[in-house]
Amino acid sequence: MRLMVSGGGTGGHIYPALALIDDLKAHDEHARVCYVGTQRGLESKIVPARGIQFETIKLQGFSRKMNWHGITTNVETIHLFLKGVRDARKIIKDFQPDVVVGTGGYVSSAVLYAASRMGIPTLIHEQNSVVGVTNKFLSRFVNKIAIAFADAKSQFPEQKVIFTGNPRAQQVAQMHSDFQWSSYELKDDVPTLLIFGGSQGALKINAVSVKAIPEFNKRPYQVVFVTGQKRFDDVQEQMKAAKITLAENVKVVPYISNMPEVLPKVAAIVGRAGATSLAEITALGIASILIPSPYVTNDHQTKNAMSLVNQGAAEIITEADLSADTLMTTVDQLMTDEMKRTKMAAAARKMGVPDAADQLLKVVTELAK
């Protein structure tokens, strides 16, 4: 098979695409893949490093501001889109894909639109419960639409939709882990809470977690607080200013490079409600306390989180309600009640799709035929 993939801007669009590519190559060692992104996006660093053919086109998103700057930006956006479609057509003609898959981000708009106009089978994958602008636009032109949240179905032309889950889930579910908490100088037989606001860290989660450390120090469970690489020094300064020290059961680290190996050993997690995170949490069956980012488009993280909360698979704290007291109360209720954690983990696992990459690949293969 010759597969073209386009998606970019954030890891939430890129990693599901890479999971699909990995699954394709596992099933077909002769498969050829071309990834189309932008030079500015995160994909320009991640994809070439994986040895995947990478092509770029220049696009930008629309401005939501209706002032003069916003209007001129949007005129330029339309111009770049039309040029991007022409550039995408050339890349498509050169590569000759059997099928083209879009995983979101404005770069995929030109690529999938061009492919659909050229009569090439097309598919988009929507990771979130609230459909993004790009995928909503493309839904009119593509052949199939794969979704990871059932809530997204009603926002698309129903006859095109198929539920596959997020392919990133399969990578995590199949990961064999020999990880031991002793590598962090913690105990392997004590329940461990992971606080993780994303690879960049989250300011409010970090600030509240720092204030909660004196209480965490007294608890019978363990806490690993991941600050994000860029915010580690700030957290250290906050702790120093407040004269906060760490007990043996609490660790503060900037980053965890082997997160897929660590997650199976986590009793519960506090974190954001991005699509990739929730795919991993549900695939593994981990109890969670979700703090949706209020800074994302259409507040989609809150809706992602509520999909789990409504099934008894997670607790939610809005960022507006987040404080050291609300965090400690919610964490204590979960970490000191093994039965509650077990029920929540089982509900999460029930929502998970551990073979999501295979399911998505099946749809892609059928389209290619």
Side-chain angles (χ1 to χ4, degrees):
M1 185 194 298
R2 298 178 70 84
L3 173 67
M4 180 173 284
V5 180
S6 183
T10 68
H13 298 313
I14 300 163
Y15 289 113
L18 293 177
L20 172 63
I21 292 168
D22 287 347
D23 200 48
L24 170 62
K25 290 185 173 180
H27 286 84
D28 179 4
E29 60 182 22
H30 300 296
R32 291 282 308 280
V33 178
C34 176
Y35 195 116
V36 185
T38 67
Q39 200 58 53
R40 288 169 47 191
L42 188 61
E43 65 273 15
S44 66
K45 297 180 178 64
I46 295 173
V47 176
R50 299 280 293 269
I52 298 167
Q53 180 182 340
F54 184 67
E55 305 291 341
T56 63
I57 56 178
K58 187 177 180 182
L59 283 99
Q60 66 185 26
F62 282 99
S63 171
R64 286 177 167 75
K65 295 178 180 177
M66 285 296 101
N67 54 22
W68 177 249
H69 176 72
I71 292 168
T72 54
T73 296
N74 289 342
V75 170
E76 184 185 4
T77 298
I78 293 169
H79 171 73
L80 286 173
F81 172 76
L82 296 174
K83 183 179 183 301
V85 170
R86 293 194 296 272
D87 292 342
R89 288 179 69 93
K90 184 178 185 305
I91 295 170
I92 292 167
K93 282 181 180 178
D94 288 344
F95 185 70
Q96 293 289 306
D98 296 308
V99 61
V100 181
V101 176
T103 57
Y106 49 78
V107 65
S108 65
S109 62
V111 179
L112 273 288
Y113 179 77
S116 69
R117 298 296 87 183
M118 294 168 74
I120 296 167
T122 49
L123 174 148
I124 52 174
H125 183 272
E126 175 57 62
Q127 298 89 35
N128 290 295
S129 56
V130 179
V131 177
V133 173
T134 297
N135 281 349
K136 193 162 279 189
F137 163 71
L138 289 172
S139 67
R140 289 172 283 173
F141 306 102
V142 298
N143 300 100
K144 289 288 183 181
I145 301 165
I147 59 173
F149 284 92
D151 292 350
K153 184 175 182 179
S154 62
Q155 301 164 61
F156 285 125
E158 192 170 337
Q159 71 279 8
K160 294 184 180 182
V161 177
I162 184 165
F163 180 88
T164 63
N166 189 320
R168 172 67 176 168
Q170 185 165 329
Q171 286 186 319
V172 174
Q174 292 181 346
M175 175 77 70
H176 173 73
S177 177
D178 292 320
F179 174 79
Q180 300 290 323
W181 285 116
S182 53
S183 62
Y184 280 75
E185 298 180 336
L186 294 171
K187 296 176 181 177
D188 291 307
D189 58 351
V190 174
T192 303
L193 173 75
L194 179 69
I195 301 176
F196 178 61
S199 57
Q200 302 301 314
L203 280 171
K204 182 78 179 281
I205 293 176
N206 282 359
V208 167
S209 297
V210 167
K211 291 179 181 177
I213 286 174
E215 291 301 315
F216 283 138
N217 285 340
K218 305 171 188 175
R219 297 305 190 263
Y221 51 84
Q222 298 175 149
V223 177
V224 176
F225 168 26
V226 185
T227 65
Q229 198 87 50
K230 292 182 179 178
R231 307 200 191 278
F232 182 69
D233 289 342
D234 290 341
V235 166
Q236 295 289 91
E237 286 298 319
Q238 291 172 36
M239 291 171 58
K240 186 176 178 181
K243 297 181 180 178
I244 293 172
T245 57
L246 301 177
E248 291 183 356
N249 67 315
V250 181
K251 299 295 176 186
V252 178
V253 299
Y255 185 67
I256 293 179
S257 60
N258 59 335
M259 188 65 83
E261 295 173 40
V262 172
L263 285 176
K265 309 294 182 176
V266 169
I269 185 168
V270 172
R272 292 301 200 193
T276 301
S277 296
L278 299 194
E280 295 170 349
I281 287 170
T282 54
L284 293 169
I286 302 174
S288 59
I289 299 167
L290 302 174
I291 305 166
S293 170
Y295 313 109
V296 295
T297 308
N298 296 325
D299 195 27
H300 68 252
Q301 284 202 7
T302 296
K303 296 176 177 68
N304 288 353
M306 289 309 299
S307 295
L308 271 69
V309 172
N310 291 338
Q311 298 299 319
E315 300 273 6
I316 186 171
I317 305 174
T318 65
E319 186 152 307
D321 291 335
L322 182 62
S323 67
D325 287 340
T326 57
L327 180 65
M328 285 306 310
T329 299
T330 312
V331 167
D332 276 344
Q333 288 173 353
L334 189 58
M335 293 301 293
T336 59
D337 187 340
E338 186 176 356
M339 186 174 291
K340 183 176 183 177
R341 284 201 314 276
T342 301
K343 285 182 178 178
M344 193 179 285
R349 190 175 292 108
K350 193 173 180 182
M351 294 183 70
V353 188
D355 65 341
D358 286 345
Q359 290 202 35
L360 182 59
L361 181 60
K362 182 181 178 185
V363 180
V364 171
T365 303
E366 288 171 354
L367 271 178
K369 289 176 182 175

